[in-house]
Structures are given as C-alpha cells and as structure tokens.
Amino acid sequence: MKLAWVIRYVPDAVATAEFYGRAFGLTTRFAAGEDFIAMETGATVLAFCREGFVGGSGMELDFAPTRPDAKPPGEEIAFEVEDVPAAHAHALAAGGIEVLA
C-alpha cells in the first residue's frame, strides 16, 4: 500500500490551487472545472475539492471547514525545501497566513 492522494476540502478550489502554485511552484495535474483540482507534487497527489461539491453531490461529508480565523485542523502538509526561511517568506508573500513562525 502507498499513499496516493491527500484531498483538502476548501471554500474555493481554484483560488487554493492558484495560491499553492504561486507559493510553492506546484502545477495542475488534473482539474474538473472549479470543483476539484489535483496538483503535481511527485508520488502523492495534493488535491483541493470545493466544499459545496461534496455537500450536494450525494457525498455528504460532515466536517469542520478550514477558515483563517478559526482554530486550524489537526493536519499538516509538509514540503521538503533547501531553504526553509526563504520558502516561508515566499509563501507569506504569495498570500499565505502564518499560523506559527
């Protein structure tokens, strides 16, 4: 068995994918309109699914949505980089929100 996908449910999949492109240089692997976007990250795919898509598609999921002004969920997406401070600054400049320095 291997980890193949990580899917985050977000208010706006397009805006989230665009941010990850700007902040981390990820490119789109697959997109299904504005509802679902998978990013190229190597062996494991990072994807974003619009919250409203799962709410009205027969796939009713009960989850706490991720919001900048709320307590962050117990999850982490980690990227390997050579220069952590530079990558951190770049992500903030691209519109990231610092949760913990």
Side-chain angles (χ1 to χ4, degrees), residues 14-69:
V14 172
T16 303
E18 288 172 350
F19 166 73
Y20 274 75
R22 284 190 318 273
F24 307 112
L26 302 184
T27 58
T28 299
R29 175 187 245 189
F30 169 80
E34 297 181 351
D35 293 321
F36 187 87
I37 299 172
M39 308 299 290
E40 194 63 60
T41 62
T44 303
V45 177
L46 174 59
F48 305 105
C49 184
R50 186 176 59 80
E51 293 168 351
F53 178 72
V54 294
S57 66
M59 237 175 60
E60 314 309 328
L61 296 178
D62 183 23
F63 60 87
T66 302
R67 297 295 183 266
D69 58 343

